[in-house]
Amino acid sequence: MSSRALRRLRQEQLEATLDTNAEESEEEEEEEEVQKTGFLQLDSSEDESSEDESSDDEDSAAAAAQSTPKPTVKAKPAKVEKEEDIDTILSSFQPTKTHDVDAPSSSQTQTLRNILLNKNHGYDIQALDLDYAVKSLLGGVGDFENYPRGCGGGRGRGGGGGRRTVKKYLFGRPRESWGKPPSFVGGGLGCKELTEPVLQEERNSWTIPWPYNLQNESSNKDTSSPDASSTIPKQKWYTLTMADTYQDQQYAYHQLLRLNTSSRHSAAALEDPNTLAMFVADHPHYADTLLQLSMVLYHVNDRGRGGDLLRRCMYVFETALPSSVLPNSNDDGEYEVLMDVDRQPNQGLFAALFRIMQTSGMSGCHPNALMTGRFLLSLDPLRDPMGVLLILDYYALASRGSRVEGNETGALFVKELVECDLIKVHYKDPLTSRHWVCDLKDMPGWAFSYALALYRLANNDDCEDEEMQQKADDALVDALTKFPLVLPKLLAMNKVNTQDRSFIMDWPKVLPFFTAESDDAIEGTVQDRVAKGAGIHLVRIFVQRHHKLWAGDNVIQWMFKCADMVVDKISKPPPGGKNEEAEAAAAANAEDGNNQAGATHLTSKFHPSLVRYAQFDPSEYEDAFRTLPPEAIALDPNIIAPAMEFNANRRGRFLRRAQLPEEMMQGGREGLMMRLVGDNMGLEMLDPDSPLLQLYLQSLLPWNQVDGVAPPR
């Protein structure tokens, strides 16, 4: 499109936005010019008044198009437009927003994906790139101009001196040594939406999982009842798909695992990561083995190569995901974009995102961990298969770098996520099929994190909000009343002196009400005991990772003030009545001869829905991996090196028969035939980088096999 056509389009747009007063003044000027000159006889207003109703509409429209732009053309703006760039002219044609960016319109349905992945709620897409997040954390500026060649980009149409258009990857720029994963047509991974025609092609082998298949019950909002269910939003389900070549790689890997577990002579191959590294070298774009080898390197304290393989695994998944699933800068759709973790190979995507969040949090890059965790939670928020809710609040409160009007974006995110009431913790008993639902504030971690987020918002750098401070005090009082077990554990982890007394803090007066409950002293029904055991498990995970956020002197004084309020609340009788529980406890203490005021203990109340999180390992939420000595896992650098770099000209591997079981060795001729023809038992992989003469001589032996070539008859 030429610059003259662009200026004409811009002129028409400016004319369309004129107000009514300007139009009236222009019509008056046109009338005066008609009276003076007498040659503007094709004006549309004059034609409509003079011509009959049966006149042709097309002629009048053409006349209006010719007459309208003439009186409004000015000479000075035309000279200015000649100096403007074409990109500037095109940018003026962007559609204007019809609603405020800070608050969604009433007609727009607020979804959980909007809160988790919208930039108006503090979501920063650039923080998904680990390199950018680390450089921002260190105060540096990323080098975004020197993109490596061969990473999905090339020069533009402008010739040799133009800018190179490079495809942007959200989780980091790929390296040349990774290679480019094949598309679904080329034998890699793809993604599709599970619509009704797709499900019919699959013969309805998949259905919407629980609890997303629950009917909307807006009238039943009692989350304390066992049979309560929350309102399920509109959904769009996506899934990753595997091409035939990718399925063959998955079958070969599962066959290798099956062989290693079935033969006692090759059982050591499971403990030897060199076999896994050789498989990665031959299949460089198979995501599951990339993730497993990455975790092996992390556990031997090789973080550099482990992180490289982990990002390479995510690069394979990112090339397969469409833009409708990946987060974007303004994600304001009306549907929840979900994925089922039970479908293959979706589980690998969930595991890779969790490991990225985990390793980023261990390295101190909390913004990257927060943005990755928010994207992972948006894929399956009601079931939370990876346990993101156990650690996401920590990453939000630990990310104190970005601020909006003096407030921390992490604290704002915790406040909005809790108050939106869109996430419910669902649990169904597999034996009785009873259904329990609870809110985020029924989880110990989110109850205390919500109070801390309100406290930070009330005491920001700009001003102090007394109303917000009162709201924070009420939230912490409710958390301490519901989960008194947390207070002594937080003080013990932060090494707070609870024996001394002062006018500011008197812990010996308050702490006896919050004595730690014994794990064995659990009374009640089986359901109560299971719920309490799961609650204590969540408290252990919360304290071991979140205690650093509660280590400040001002935060400890605030905790004491709220704990003192809880003690006064349970000690003093309510107005107009008596505190029967306090009187009964005091009578029991008087019989025992204990007059200490702290003899009345608070009891933690855990919701049965928390049982769903009892299966998660606390070590997965620590700040470091439990490493093994290098001698425990003998890694061969000559085998690991080919797995770290992609080589398109790599030779295929040879397979030879390993030592067979004694039953086959004693089978005589039949055993020999099984060795020659066999049923793929006891395969051992040979290094393809061995000398060529050695590989040639091994290929002459009848019991050796080449990968992909049938054995001799």
Side-chain angles (χ1 to χ4, degrees):
M1 184 178 293
S2 62
S3 60
R4 181 180 300 174
L6 292 175
R7 294 190 187 96
R8 185 180 300 170
L9 289 174
R10 186 176 182 181
Q11 179 182 349
E12 293 177 358
Q13 184 185 20
L14 293 175
E15 292 172 1
T17 56
L18 293 176
D19 54 0
T20 56
N21 296 329
E23 292 178 355
E24 293 177 356
S25 61
E26 290 175 0
E27 291 177 359
E28 293 177 357
E29 293 177 0
E30 292 175 4
E31 291 178 357
E32 294 176 0
E33 292 179 0
V34 169
Q35 294 176 1
K36 292 180 180 180
T37 59
F39 67 92
L40 291 176
Q41 299 177 0
L42 297 177
D43 187 78
S44 61
S45 60
E46 295 178 0
D47 294 338
E48 290 176 358
S49 60
S50 60
E51 293 179 357
D52 190 55
E53 295 180 356
S54 61
S55 63
D56 191 7
D57 296 335
E58 296 180 357
D59 297 335
S60 61
Q66 296 177 359
S67 60
T68 303
K70 291 182 179 179
T72 58
V73 175
K74 297 181 181 180
K76 292 183 179 180
K79 295 181 181 180
V80 176
E81 289 176 356
K82 290 182 180 179
E83 299 177 357
E84 294 180 352
D85 189 31
I86 297 178
D87 296 336
T88 306
I89 299 175
L90 289 174
S91 62
S92 63
F93 292 99
Q94 298 294 334
T96 57
K97 296 182 179 180
T98 58
H99 58 276
D100 190 9
V101 295
D102 296 331
S105 61
S106 58
S107 61
Q108 180 181 355
T109 304
Q110 187 181 27
T111 61
L112 184 59
R113 185 177 174 88
N114 298 340
I115 298 177
L116 292 175
L117 304 182
N118 198 305
K119 64 179 181 180
N120 297 330
H121 298 277
Y123 192 80
D124 186 9
I125 292 184
Q126 291 183 339
L128 288 175
D129 188 355
L130 184 59
D131 294 336
Y132 175 85
V134 171
K135 291 178 181 179
S136 301
L137 183 65
L138 299 177
V141 179
D143 185 10
F144 298 100
E145 297 296 333
N146 298 326
Y147 277 80
R149 298 179 183 271
C151 294
R155 292 190 177 273
R157 298 182 179 179
R163 294 180 299 176
R164 289 187 290 119
T165 58
V166 181
K167 179 181 179 181
K168 183 177 180 181
Y169 291 93
L170 301 181
F171 291 90
R173 190 179 308 154
R175 302 179 182 177
E176 295 181 359
S177 59
W178 296 354
K180 186 176 181 180
S183 61
F184 179 77
V185 180
L189 288 175
C191 186
K192 63 180 180 180
E193 182 181 355
L194 294 176
T195 58
E196 293 184 0
V198 174
L199 294 178
Q200 291 178 1
E201 292 179 0
E202 296 180 355
R203 298 181 180 180
N204 296 326
S205 59
W206 178 85
T207 56
I208 298 178
W210 184 91
Y212 296 98
N213 56 356
L214 297 176
Q215 299 294 331
N216 295 337
E217 298 180 4
S218 58
S219 59
N220 189 3
K221 295 183 179 180
D222 186 10
T223 57
S224 61
S225 61
D227 299 330
S229 61
S230 61
T231 302
I232 307 300
K234 298 180 181 179
Q235 311 157 14
K236 282 186 178 181
W237 288 88
Y238 289 83
T239 183
L240 292 172
T241 56
M242 298 181 293
D244 296 339
T245 305
Y246 198 90
Q247 289 181 354
D248 294 340
Q249 297 177 7
Q250 184 181 26
Y251 175 77
Y253 177 64
H254 290 172
Q255 187 74 8
L256 177 63
L257 294 179
R258 190 180 305 111
L259 294 174
N260 289 334
T261 55
S262 61
S263 178
R264 61 179 183 181
H265 298 279
S266 58
L270 289 176
E271 303 176 0
D272 185 12
N274 296 320
T275 304
L276 181 63
M278 293 179 64
F279 191 91
V280 172
D282 287 337
H283 307 284
H285 299 129
Y286 183 67
D288 291 349
T289 52
L290 289 173
L291 180 60
Q292 292 187 10
L293 185 59
S294 172
M295 290 297 102
V296 170
L297 295 175
Y298 267 110
H299 282 287
V300 296
N301 203 17
D302 193 352
R303 300 182 180 180
R305 293 190 296 182
D308 192 7
L309 284 177
L310 182 58
R311 295 175 60 187
R312 178 174 159 189
C313 174
M314 191 60 216
Y315 172 53
V316 174
F317 284 116
E318 186 177 1
T319 54
L321 294 176
S323 59
S324 57
V325 178
L326 292 171
N328 52 65
S329 60
N330 192 10
D331 213 328
D332 53 356
E334 299 181 358
Y335 294 87
E336 301 286 355
V337 178
L338 307 173
M339 297 186 72
D340 188 5
V341 70
D342 296 329
R343 284 181 63 107
Q344 290 290 340
N346 297 343
Q347 188 175 4
L349 172 62
F350 281 80
L353 289 172
F354 178 79
R355 293 302 182 184
I356 291 177
M357 178 189 69
Q358 182 186 29
T359 54
S360 299
M362 290 179 178
S363 60
C365 192
H366 299 122
N368 180 268
L370 175 61
M371 302 308 162
T372 306
R374 291 171 67 168
F375 174 57
L376 176 57
L377 182 63
S378 68
L379 297 178
D380 195 350
L382 297 184
R383 294 188 300 176
D384 190 16
M386 308 307 298
V388 181
L389 291 175
L390 300 180
I391 195 66
L392 189 64
D393 53 340
Y394 168 76
Y395 293 141
L397 296 177
S399 304
R400 309 191 65 173
S402 58
R403 293 175 175 268
V404 176
E405 298 180 357
N407 295 321
E408 301 176 12
T409 57
L412 287 173
F413 167 71
V414 173
K415 176 179 176 295
E416 292 176 356
L417 191 62
V418 172
E419 294 180 354
C420 72
D421 201 25
L422 293 177
I423 292 185
K424 301 291 183 178
V425 181
H426 294 260
Y427 174 71
K428 179 187 290 186
D429 192 346
L431 299 178
T432 61
S433 298
R434 297 187 64 185
H435 179 201
W436 288 276
V437 184
C438 69
D439 298 329
L440 280 180
K441 290 191 292 185
D442 292 328
M443 300 180 64
W446 281 93
F448 281 86
S449 297
Y450 175 66
L452 183 59
L454 294 177
Y455 175 77
R456 290 185 178 180
L457 295 176
N459 300 275
N460 55 9
D461 298 338
D462 296 341
C463 61
E464 295 183 359
D465 190 352
E466 297 181 357
E467 183 179 357
M468 186 68 70
Q469 182 64 46
Q470 181 63 35
K471 189 176 180 180
D473 295 344
D474 296 340
L476 186 57
V477 167
D478 295 340
L480 291 173
T481 305
K482 191 180 297 184
F483 311 109
L485 179 63
V486 177
L487 179 61
K489 291 183 178 294
L490 282 177
L491 297 177
M493 289 294 295
N494 291 323
K495 298 180 180 180
V496 178
N497 188 1
T498 59
Q499 302 298 328
D500 297 341
R501 293 187 171 184
S502 63
F503 292 101
I504 300 177
M505 290 183 294
D506 188 5
W507 287 112
K509 174 187 174 183
V510 175
L511 271 185
F513 289 85
F514 300 88
T515 52
E517 305 172 14
S518 176
D519 296 352
D520 299 332
I522 301 177
E523 300 178 355
T525 62
V526 177
Q527 174 184 334
D528 296 336
R529 294 196 296 268
V530 172
K532 194 164 189 177
I536 294 175
H537 180 72
L538 296 187
V539 169
R540 186 183 304 113
I541 295 176
F542 167 75
V543 172
Q544 77 177 5
R545 195 63 188 270
H546 293 68
H547 69 276
K548 297 180 182 179
L549 302 176
W550 300 81
D553 295 337
N554 54 347
V555 177
I556 292 177
Q557 294 179 8
W558 174 55
M559 279 197 300
F560 174 79
K561 183 185 73 172
C562 295
D564 194 14
M565 295 170 60
V566 174
V567 172
D568 294 340
K569 181 179 179 181
I570 64 175
S571 299
K572 296 180 181 179
K578 297 182 179 180
N579 195 341
E580 299 179 357
E581 297 181 357
E583 292 180 357
N589 297 332
E591 294 178 358
D592 297 338
N594 187 3
N595 296 326
Q596 187 180 3
T600 304
H601 304 304
L602 292 170
T603 305
S604 301
K605 302 175 183 178
F606 299 104
H607 200 272
S609 299
L610 303 181
V611 179
R612 57 170 295 187
Y613 289 105
Q615 59 182 348
F616 292 97
D617 188 5
S619 63
E620 299 290 346
Y621 303 96
E622 296 179 356
D623 56 354
F625 282 110
R626 298 179 182 179
T627 59
L628 299 174
E631 296 80 9
I633 301 179
L635 289 173
D636 190 351
N638 296 325
I639 297 179
I640 299 296
M644 299 300 300
E645 296 183 359
F646 171 74
N647 186 6
N649 299 323
R650 179 177 172 84
R651 298 188 300 272
R653 71 178 64 185
F654 287 91
L655 302 178
R656 70 180 179 186
R657 298 292 177 182
Q659 186 178 359
L660 298 177
E662 297 179 358
E663 295 80 3
M664 296 180 60
M665 296 298 297
Q666 298 176 359
R669 182 178 179 84
E670 296 179 357
L672 180 60
M673 293 299 297
M674 293 185 66
R675 291 187 58 185
L676 296 179
V677 183
D679 56 350
N680 294 331
M681 293 185 61
L683 293 180
E684 183 178 353
M685 299 182 184
L686 299 180
D687 188 3
D689 296 326
S690 301
L692 292 177
L693 180 59
Q694 177 183 348
L695 294 176
Y696 172 71
L697 294 176
Q698 289 176 349
S699 65
L700 297 178
L701 300 177
W703 51 81
N704 288 336
Q705 264 187 292
V706 183
D707 189 11
V709 179
R713 297 183 180 178

Short mmCIF file of all heavy atoms in Angstrom, two decimals, residues 417-453:
data_model
loop_
_atom_site.label_atom_id
_atom_site.label_comp_id
_atom_site.label_asym_id
_atom_site.label_seq_id
_atom_site.Cartn_x
_atom_site.Cartn_y
_atom_site.Cartn_z
N LEU A 417 -6.51 -13.34 44.26
CA LEU A 417 -6.82 -14.75 44.04
C LEU A 417 -7.68 -15.31 45.16
O LEU A 417 -8.55 -16.16 44.92
CB LEU A 417 -5.51 -15.55 43.93
CG LEU A 417 -5.64 -16.99 43.43
CD1 LEU A 417 -6.21 -17.03 42.02
CD2 LEU A 417 -4.29 -17.70 43.47
N VAL A 418 -7.46 -14.86 46.37
CA VAL A 418 -8.27 -15.35 47.49
C VAL A 418 -9.66 -14.74 47.46
O VAL A 418 -10.67 -15.43 47.66
CB VAL A 418 -7.57 -15.05 48.83
CG1 VAL A 418 -8.48 -15.38 50.01
CG2 VAL A 418 -6.27 -15.84 48.94
N GLU A 419 -9.75 -13.47 47.16
CA GLU A 419 -11.04 -12.79 47.22
C GLU A 419 -11.91 -13.04 45.99
O GLU A 419 -13.11 -12.81 46.04
CB GLU A 419 -10.82 -11.28 47.38
CG GLU A 419 -10.19 -10.90 48.71
CD GLU A 419 -9.97 -9.41 48.84
OE1 GLU A 419 -10.21 -8.70 47.84
OE2 GLU A 419 -9.56 -8.96 49.93
N CYS A 420 -11.31 -13.50 44.87
CA CYS A 420 -12.14 -13.78 43.69
C CYS A 420 -13.03 -15.00 43.88
O CYS A 420 -14.05 -15.14 43.22
CB CYS A 420 -11.25 -13.97 42.46
SG CYS A 420 -10.32 -15.52 42.43
N ASP A 421 -12.64 -15.90 44.77
CA ASP A 421 -13.45 -17.07 45.13
C ASP A 421 -13.73 -17.95 43.91
O ASP A 421 -14.80 -18.54 43.77
CB ASP A 421 -14.77 -16.63 45.77
CG ASP A 421 -15.39 -17.75 46.61
OD1 ASP A 421 -14.64 -18.63 47.08
OD2 ASP A 421 -16.62 -17.75 46.77
N LEU A 422 -12.74 -18.07 43.00
CA LEU A 422 -12.90 -18.90 41.82
C LEU A 422 -12.19 -20.25 41.95
O LEU A 422 -12.48 -21.17 41.19
CB LEU A 422 -12.36 -18.17 40.57
CG LEU A 422 -13.14 -16.94 40.13
CD1 LEU A 422 -12.47 -16.29 38.94
CD2 LEU A 422 -14.59 -17.30 39.80
N ILE A 423 -11.25 -20.36 42.88
CA ILE A 423 -10.53 -21.62 43.09
C ILE A 423 -11.13 -22.31 44.31
O ILE A 423 -11.20 -21.73 45.40
CB ILE A 423 -9.03 -21.38 43.29
CG1 ILE A 423 -8.40 -20.89 42.01
CG2 ILE A 423 -8.33 -22.66 43.73
CD1 ILE A 423 -6.90 -20.73 42.07
N LYS A 424 -11.54 -23.53 44.12
CA LYS A 424 -12.06 -24.37 45.19
C LYS A 424 -11.22 -25.64 45.27
O LYS A 424 -10.81 -26.19 44.25
CB LYS A 424 -13.52 -24.74 44.93
CG LYS A 424 -14.47 -23.57 44.79
CD LYS A 424 -14.66 -22.84 46.11
CE LYS A 424 -15.68 -21.72 45.97
NZ LYS A 424 -15.91 -21.03 47.24
N VAL A 425 -10.98 -26.08 46.48
CA VAL A 425 -10.24 -27.33 46.70
C VAL A 425 -11.26 -28.45 46.79
O VAL A 425 -12.05 -28.52 47.74
CB VAL A 425 -9.40 -27.25 47.99
CG1 VAL A 425 -8.62 -28.54 48.19
CG2 VAL A 425 -8.44 -26.07 47.91
N HIS A 426 -11.25 -29.33 45.80
CA HIS A 426 -12.20 -30.43 45.72
C HIS A 426 -11.52 -31.73 46.14
O HIS A 426 -10.34 -31.95 45.84
CB HIS A 426 -12.75 -30.59 44.30
CG HIS A 426 -13.58 -29.44 43.84
ND1 HIS A 426 -14.96 -29.47 43.85
CD2 HIS A 426 -13.24 -28.22 43.35
CE1 HIS A 426 -15.43 -28.33 43.39
NE2 HIS A 426 -14.40 -27.56 43.08
N TYR A 427 -12.28 -32.56 46.80
CA TYR A 427 -11.78 -33.89 47.17
C TYR A 427 -12.95 -34.86 47.22
O TYR A 427 -14.01 -34.54 47.77
CB TYR A 427 -11.07 -33.88 48.52
CG TYR A 427 -10.67 -35.26 49.00
CD1 TYR A 427 -9.64 -35.96 48.37
CD2 TYR A 427 -11.33 -35.87 50.06
CE1 TYR A 427 -9.28 -37.23 48.79
CE2 TYR A 427 -10.97 -37.13 50.49
CZ TYR A 427 -9.95 -37.81 49.85
OH TYR A 427 -9.61 -39.07 50.27
N LYS A 428 -12.74 -36.02 46.61
CA LYS A 428 -13.75 -37.08 46.64
C LYS A 428 -13.14 -38.32 47.27
O LYS A 428 -12.06 -38.78 46.83
CB LYS A 428 -14.24 -37.39 45.22
CG LYS A 428 -15.29 -38.50 45.18
CD LYS A 428 -15.63 -38.91 43.76
CE LYS A 428 -16.40 -37.82 43.05
NZ LYS A 428 -16.87 -38.27 41.71
N ASP A 429 -13.80 -38.85 48.26
CA ASP A 429 -13.33 -40.06 48.93
C ASP A 429 -13.47 -41.23 47.96
O ASP A 429 -14.57 -41.51 47.47
CB ASP A 429 -14.14 -40.32 50.19
CG ASP A 429 -13.51 -41.37 51.07
OD1 ASP A 429 -12.61 -42.09 50.59
OD2 ASP A 429 -13.92 -41.50 52.24
N PRO A 430 -12.38 -41.94 47.66
CA PRO A 430 -12.50 -43.05 46.70
C PRO A 430 -13.34 -44.21 47.21
O PRO A 430 -13.83 -45.01 46.40
CB PRO A 430 -11.04 -43.48 46.48
CG PRO A 430 -10.31 -43.02 47.70
CD PRO A 430 -11.00 -41.78 48.14
N LEU A 431 -13.53 -44.32 48.51
CA LEU A 431 -14.31 -45.42 49.06
C LEU A 431 -15.80 -45.09 49.16
O LEU A 431 -16.66 -45.87 48.75
CB LEU A 431 -13.77 -45.81 50.45
CG LEU A 431 -12.32 -46.31 50.47
CD1 LEU A 431 -11.89 -46.62 51.90
CD2 LEU A 431 -12.15 -47.55 49.60
N THR A 432 -16.10 -43.91 49.69
CA THR A 432 -17.50 -43.53 49.90
C THR A 432 -18.03 -42.60 48.82
O THR A 432 -19.24 -42.33 48.81
CB THR A 432 -17.65 -42.86 51.27
OG1 THR A 432 -16.84 -41.68 51.31
CG2 THR A 432 -17.21 -43.81 52.38
N SER A 433 -17.16 -42.07 47.96
CA SER A 433 -17.54 -41.12 46.90
C SER A 433 -18.18 -39.85 47.46
O SER A 433 -18.95 -39.17 46.77
CB SER A 433 -18.51 -41.78 45.90
OG SER A 433 -17.87 -42.87 45.27
N ARG A 434 -17.84 -39.49 48.67
CA ARG A 434 -18.33 -38.24 49.25
C ARG A 434 -17.46 -37.10 48.75
O ARG A 434 -16.25 -37.23 48.57
CB ARG A 434 -18.30 -38.31 50.78
CG ARG A 434 -19.22 -39.36 51.36
CD ARG A 434 -19.27 -39.26 52.88
NE ARG A 434 -19.84 -37.99 53.31
CZ ARG A 434 -19.91 -37.61 54.59
NH1 ARG A 434 -19.45 -38.42 55.55
NH2 ARG A 434 -20.43 -36.46 54.92
N HIS A 435 -18.09 -35.97 48.56
CA HIS A 435 -17.44 -34.81 47.92
C HIS A 435 -17.36 -33.68 48.93
O HIS A 435 -18.36 -33.30 49.53
CB HIS A 435 -18.26 -34.38 46.69
CG HIS A 435 -17.70 -33.20 45.99
ND1 HIS A 435 -18.45 -32.41 45.16
CD2 HIS A 435 -16.46 -32.66 46.00
CE1 HIS A 435 -17.70 -31.43 44.68
NE2 HIS A 435 -16.49 -31.56 45.18
N TRP A 436 -16.13 -33.14 49.10
CA TRP A 436 -15.91 -32.00 49.97
C TRP A 436 -15.30 -30.86 49.17
O TRP A 436 -14.48 -31.09 48.27
CB TRP A 436 -14.97 -32.35 51.13
CG TRP A 436 -15.59 -33.23 52.16
CD1 TRP A 436 -16.37 -32.87 53.22
CD2 TRP A 436 -15.49 -34.66 52.23
NE1 TRP A 436 -16.76 -33.96 53.94
CE2 TRP A 436 -16.23 -35.08 53.36
CE3 TRP A 436 -14.85 -35.62 51.45
CZ2 TRP A 436 -16.34 -36.41 53.72
CZ3 TRP A 436 -14.96 -36.95 51.81
CH2 TRP A 436 -15.70 -37.33 52.94
N VAL A 437 -15.69 -29.65 49.52
CA VAL A 437 -15.20 -28.44 48.86
C VAL A 437 -14.85 -27.41 49.92
O VAL A 437 -15.59 -27.26 50.91
CB VAL A 437 -16.26 -27.84 47.90
CG1 VAL A 437 -15.68 -26.65 47.14
CG2 VAL A 437 -16.73 -28.89 46.92
N CYS A 438 -13.72 -26.73 49.74
CA CYS A 438 -13.34 -25.67 50.67
C CYS A 438 -12.67 -24.54 49.89
O CYS A 438 -12.29 -24.70 48.73
CB CYS A 438 -12.41 -26.20 51.77
SG CYS A 438 -10.76 -26.67 51.20
N ASP A 439 -12.52 -23.40 50.54
CA ASP A 439 -11.90 -22.22 49.94
C ASP A 439 -10.39 -22.24 50.16
O ASP A 439 -9.85 -23.09 50.88
CB ASP A 439 -12.51 -20.95 50.53
CG ASP A 439 -14.00 -20.84 50.25
OD1 ASP A 439 -14.43 -21.34 49.19
OD2 ASP A 439 -14.72 -20.26 51.08
N LEU A 440 -9.74 -21.26 49.55
CA LEU A 440 -8.29 -21.16 49.73
C LEU A 440 -7.92 -20.82 51.16
O LEU A 440 -6.88 -21.26 51.66
CB LEU A 440 -7.72 -20.10 48.78
CG LEU A 440 -7.49 -20.52 47.33
CD1 LEU A 440 -6.93 -19.36 46.54
CD2 LEU A 440 -6.57 -21.71 47.24
N LYS A 441 -8.75 -20.03 51.83
CA LYS A 441 -8.43 -19.66 53.22
C LYS A 441 -8.58 -20.81 54.19
O LYS A 441 -8.19 -20.67 55.36
CB LYS A 441 -9.32 -18.49 53.65
CG LYS A 441 -8.98 -17.19 52.97
CD LYS A 441 -9.69 -16.01 53.60
CE LYS A 441 -11.19 -16.07 53.36
NZ LYS A 441 -11.87 -14.84 53.87
N ASP A 442 -9.12 -21.96 53.75
CA ASP A 442 -9.15 -23.15 54.58
C ASP A 442 -7.85 -23.93 54.53
O ASP A 442 -7.69 -24.91 55.27
CB ASP A 442 -10.31 -24.06 54.16
CG ASP A 442 -11.66 -23.44 54.47
OD1 ASP A 442 -11.75 -22.70 55.47
OD2 ASP A 442 -12.62 -23.68 53.71
N MET A 443 -6.91 -23.51 53.65
CA MET A 443 -5.58 -24.09 53.63
C MET A 443 -4.68 -23.28 54.56
O MET A 443 -4.72 -22.04 54.56
CB MET A 443 -5.02 -24.09 52.22
CG MET A 443 -5.83 -24.89 51.22
SD MET A 443 -5.12 -24.84 49.55
CE MET A 443 -3.56 -25.67 49.82
N PRO A 444 -3.87 -23.92 55.40
CA PRO A 444 -3.04 -23.15 56.35
C PRO A 444 -2.13 -22.14 55.68
O PRO A 444 -1.99 -21.00 56.15
CB PRO A 444 -2.24 -24.25 57.07
CG PRO A 444 -3.03 -25.50 56.88
CD PRO A 444 -3.71 -25.37 55.56
N GLY A 445 -1.50 -22.54 54.58
CA GLY A 445 -0.57 -21.62 53.92
C GLY A 445 -1.25 -20.39 53.38
O GLY A 445 -0.77 -19.26 53.57
N TRP A 446 -2.36 -20.56 52.68
CA TRP A 446 -3.03 -19.41 52.08
C TRP A 446 -3.72 -18.55 53.13
O TRP A 446 -3.89 -17.34 52.91
CB TRP A 446 -4.03 -19.89 51.04
CG TRP A 446 -3.38 -20.25 49.75
CD1 TRP A 446 -2.94 -21.47 49.36
CD2 TRP A 446 -3.06 -19.36 48.68
NE1 TRP A 446 -2.37 -21.41 48.12
CE2 TRP A 446 -2.44 -20.13 47.67
CE3 TRP A 446 -3.24 -17.99 48.46
CZ2 TRP A 446 -1.99 -19.57 46.47
CZ3 TRP A 446 -2.80 -17.43 47.27
CH2 TRP A 446 -2.18 -18.22 46.30
N ALA A 447 -4.14 -19.10 54.25
CA ALA A 447 -4.74 -18.29 55.30
C ALA A 447 -3.72 -17.30 55.87
O ALA A 447 -4.02 -16.11 56.05
CB ALA A 447 -5.29 -19.19 56.40
N PHE A 448 -2.50 -17.77 56.15
CA PHE A 448 -1.48 -16.88 56.68
C PHE A 448 -0.90 -15.98 55.59
O PHE A 448 -0.58 -14.82 55.86
CB PHE A 448 -0.37 -17.72 57.33
CG PHE A 448 -0.72 -18.21 58.71
CD1 PHE A 448 -1.42 -19.40 58.88
CD2 PHE A 448 -0.36 -17.49 59.83
CE1 PHE A 448 -1.75 -19.85 60.14
CE2 PHE A 448 -0.68 -17.94 61.10
CZ PHE A 448 -1.38 -19.12 61.25
N SER A 449 -0.75 -16.48 54.37
CA SER A 449 -0.22 -15.64 53.29
C SER A 449 -1.19 -14.52 52.93
O SER A 449 -0.76 -13.41 52.58
CB SER A 449 0.08 -16.51 52.06
OG SER A 449 1.08 -17.46 52.34
N TYR A 450 -2.47 -14.79 52.99
CA TYR A 450 -3.47 -13.75 52.72
C TYR A 450 -3.38 -12.63 53.77
O TYR A 450 -3.44 -11.44 53.42
CB TYR A 450 -4.85 -14.36 52.72
CG TYR A 450 -5.99 -13.38 52.57
CD1 TYR A 450 -6.16 -12.65 51.40
CD2 TYR A 450 -6.90 -13.18 53.60
CE1 TYR A 450 -7.19 -11.74 51.27
CE2 TYR A 450 -7.94 -12.29 53.47
CZ TYR A 450 -8.09 -11.57 52.31
OH TYR A 450 -9.12 -10.67 52.17
N ALA A 451 -3.19 -13.01 55.03
CA ALA A 451 -3.03 -11.99 56.07
C ALA A 451 -1.75 -11.19 55.88
O ALA A 451 -1.73 -9.96 56.04
CB ALA A 451 -3.05 -12.66 57.44
N LEU A 452 -0.65 -11.86 55.51
CA LEU A 452 0.61 -11.15 55.30
C LEU A 452 0.53 -10.24 54.08
O LEU A 452 1.12 -9.15 54.07
CB LEU A 452 1.74 -12.17 55.14
CG LEU A 452 3.16 -11.60 54.98
CD1 LEU A 452 3.53 -10.75 56.18
CD2 LEU A 452 4.16 -12.72 54.78
N ALA A 453 -0.18 -10.66 53.04
CA ALA A 453 -0.35 -9.81 51.86
C ALA A 453 -1.13 -8.54 52.22
O ALA A 453 -0.77 -7.43 51.79
CB ALA A 453 -1.06 -10.58 50.75
#
